[in-house]
Amino acid sequence: MTTTDIATRVYNHAFKLDPIIRSLLDTDVYKLLMLQTIWQEDPHVPVTFSVINRSSRVSLARVIDEGELRAQLDHARTVGLTKKERIWLAGNTFYGKERLFSPEFLAWLGEYRLPEYDLRVEEGQFRIDFSGPWAAVTLWEIPVLSIISELRSRAAMKGIGRFELDVLYARAKAKLWEKVVRLNALPDLRIADFGTRRRHSFLWHRWCVEAMKEGLGEKFTGTSNILHAMELDIEAIGTNGHELPMVRATMCEDDQELLQVPYRVLESWQRAYEGNLLIVLPDTFGTTSFLRRAPEWVARWSGFRIDSKDPIEGGEEIVAWWKAMGQDPRDKLLIFSDGLDIGDIERAWRHFSGRVHLGFGWGTLLTNDLRDCAPVKNPGLDPISLVCKVTRANGRPTVKLSDNLEKASGPPSLIERYQDVFGGGVLARKALAV
């Protein structure tokens, strides 16, 4: 395996355009899994996705050159599926299942290109919207976040000397490897890379995945990034996201129909997928509310992903619900994925080990933790909380409550209405690091 000298590559950067998005598959597999169901059931629903910088203290438009951003977005729009990639998608086994993607869907994807975008600057922030049919727009989410994150990293490293860059990346590698050693001390660990969207850079992301693969062996279960999975011969890991219930909620005509949206989404999902792809993401409108109304058949799914609740609190709530539904938690899978760092992973593992099957999706603080690695303090290398969410669908604003109201999105009046409808109790507010 050839390892790229990242410091040299950064220092010698002299390309007019060094593309950040090299492949349509440089995205998370859950986006393709969701896209297939969207393409089959609701491809033409009009939607808008919007980039939102939740770390508003960082004025991205004052850090990143608008011309460079437009050039990267424009380049991403030229990237299509290659013949090799299409053959791999058609023939690869995902979660033990062959031909997960239908020939008809792959034929459509083979002609796909990312659609137009609308970019403007307001109060020091980039406002980027992607509007159009749902099936055409949804794939913008991951590449736009990767582009902005890497351009911010490049801006932070402009003017840094060759030896300082060597030190920076040497410290970052040592920092990650120390985490890998700590993780390797946890028996029966199952952990995957979920760090595509807010990574430091494409090349650093690849190094992190390779380090996890070598350092953890079978404990490293794979990556959410399809391109890295294909090129490194590892598993592509992922299930579904918040956009499915957010969009389908806008199609409801009354509150009773709205209350059933999370379960209608799951019914749709299990028509398409099975096994370890049957993982519930319960927090779009609040986990407590979801569990209170969940039908019995949901308890037979393989597991849950805890995305915005405290890992211990959220895990205990789901374990108690499984028991109440007559299920043995020891047969189930809990996946933790919200802003995790090494201490969070160790804490959750020690608390739940032996009681459930455990999985961890390690994201931003795997692929973008260069905090305090620069010889001279460089805040531009600290990760931020950047998202691209569906903000309108079917002519209406969308809403996400989340278990952490700091992650809530939508007009305040609609957020209040959804809280009244779902009645999930008092939702917490927890400061966001990433």
Side-chain angles (χ1 to χ4, degrees):
M1 182 182 298
T2 302
T3 301
T4 301
D5 183 345
I6 302 174
T8 298
R9 176 69 179 271
V10 171
Y11 182 73
N12 291 336
H13 171 77
F15 304 104
K16 183 177 181 181
L17 174 68
D18 187 2
I20 293 171
I21 302 303
R22 297 155 167 80
S23 164
L24 195 63
L25 297 190
D26 186 14
T27 191
D28 286 340
V29 68
Y30 88 100
K31 292 299 296 189
L32 278 196
L33 293 170
M34 291 196 301
L35 176 58
Q36 181 167 240
T37 66
I38 293 165
W39 177 80
Q40 291 169 340
E41 298 186 5
D42 297 299
H44 304 299
V45 174
V47 302
T48 296
F49 278 72
S50 303
V51 173
I52 303 167
N53 179 12
R54 297 190 298 213
S55 300
S56 57
R57 69 187 185 281
V58 177
S59 299
L60 289 173
R62 297 188 178 101
V63 174
I64 297 170
D65 180 82
E66 182 179 339
E68 290 184 14
L69 175 57
R70 289 185 181 275
Q72 293 291 346
L73 295 172
D74 291 343
H75 173 78
R77 294 191 61 218
T78 70
V79 176
L81 203 64
T82 67
K83 182 178 179 181
K84 172 187 173 181
E85 291 167 344
R86 182 171 170 179
I87 291 171
W88 184 83
L89 285 174
N92 189 57
T93 299
F94 297 87
Y95 289 91
K97 182 177 175 63
E98 297 179 346
R99 293 180 292 278
L100 191 63
F101 299 106
S102 74
E104 295 80 10
F105 171 68
L106 291 179
W108 174 84
L109 190 65
E111 303 299 320
Y112 175 84
R113 296 293 187 278
L114 291 166
E116 294 180 350
Y117 60 89
D118 176 61
L119 186 156
R120 60 201 184 279
V121 176
E122 296 177 2
E123 299 178 347
Q125 301 293 349
F126 290 117
R127 307 298 181 187
I128 312 176
D129 294 324
F130 309 97
S131 299
W134 195 5
V137 171
T138 183
L139 283 189
W140 257 122
E141 178 186 354
I142 307 302
V144 70
L145 296 177
S146 299
I147 287 169
I148 294 173
S149 293
E150 182 157 349
L151 286 178
R152 180 170 176 260
S153 297
R154 291 182 183 183
M157 293 186 294
K158 281 182 180 177
I160 294 181
R162 177 69 177 85
F163 286 92
E164 189 173 336
L165 284 171
D166 263 340
V167 172
L168 169 67
Y169 282 108
R171 288 178 174 176
K173 289 176 180 180
K175 183 177 185 179
L176 176 57
W177 194 254
E178 288 172 2
K179 294 181 182 182
V180 169
V181 170
R182 286 172 62 177
L183 290 173
N184 215 8
L186 304 178
D188 303 318
L189 178 71
R190 293 170 54 85
I191 189 166
D193 155 50
F194 278 16
T196 300
R197 66 186 62 209
R198 292 193 285 262
R199 65 195 180 194
H200 168 76
S201 72
F202 175 87
L203 293 176
W204 178 247
H205 185 191
R206 176 67 66 94
W207 192 92
C208 291
V209 172
E210 291 176 335
M212 294 278 282
K213 181 181 179 182
E214 178 175 320
L216 294 177
E218 292 184 357
K219 294 177 181 179
F220 181 56
T221 56
T223 173
S224 63
N225 186 283
I226 311 173
L227 182 64
H228 291 337
M230 180 182 76
E231 294 185 343
L232 299 176
D233 192 27
I234 55 182
E235 291 293 323
I237 303 292
T239 54
N240 55 70
H242 300 104
E243 74 179 84
L244 295 178
M246 289 173 69
V247 171
R248 288 177 175 146
T250 66
M251 304 176 188
C252 297
E253 297 302 327
D254 58 50
D255 291 351
Q256 287 306 310
E257 191 177 356
L258 180 59
L259 283 170
Q260 293 305 309
V261 161
Y263 317 114
R264 300 292 84 82
V265 166
L266 297 186
E267 288 177 334
S268 169
W269 191 260
Q270 69 180 359
R271 285 195 294 269
Y273 305 117
E274 59 188 24
N276 280 343
L277 281 171
L278 297 183
I279 302 295
V280 181
L281 179 64
D283 72 314
T284 305
F285 307 124
T287 296
T288 299
S289 171
F290 177 94
L291 295 176
R292 181 185 300 130
R293 299 179 178 88
E296 185 273 337
W297 56 264
V298 174
R300 296 196 295 271
W301 275 39
S302 301
F304 277 69
R305 177 161 72 92
I306 300 172
D307 185 63
S308 56
K309 209 161 199 172
D310 175 81
I312 306 303
E313 179 186 350
E316 288 291 356
E317 186 174 15
I318 291 166
V319 166
W321 181 79
W322 273 326
K323 291 179 178 178
M325 300 297 283
Q327 300 290 319
D328 188 343
R330 292 173 298 181
D331 298 330
K332 299 296 184 180
L333 175 63
L334 273 183
I335 300 175
F336 301 93
S337 64
D338 180 31
L340 300 177
D341 204 359
I342 180 68
D344 306 303
I345 296 167
E346 290 172 329
R347 182 169 69 101
W349 183 89
R350 291 187 178 114
H351 187 88
F352 290 105
S353 181
R355 300 172 58 197
V356 295
H357 295 294
L358 286 173
F360 297 91
W362 197 10
T364 306
L365 296 180
L366 165 63
T367 61
N368 198 0
D369 188 11
L370 279 73
R371 295 170 296 180
D372 303 320
C373 291
V376 178
K377 186 170 179 59
N378 191 336
L381 295 174
D382 293 348
I384 60 174
S385 184
L386 188 71
V387 295
C388 180
K389 293 292 184 185
V390 58
T391 51
R392 289 190 66 83
N394 202 36
R396 300 174 177 176
T398 58
V399 172
K400 177 192 173 195
L401 293 181
S402 175
D403 289 320
N404 179 4
L405 279 174
E406 289 296 328
K407 288 186 169 185
S409 63
S413 60
L414 273 183
I415 290 176
E416 290 182 9
R417 177 183 167 240
Y418 273 57
Q419 285 183 276
D420 289 340
V421 170
F422 285 96
V426 178
L427 297 175
R429 284 191 179 274
K430 183 175 68 172
L432 297 176
V434 293

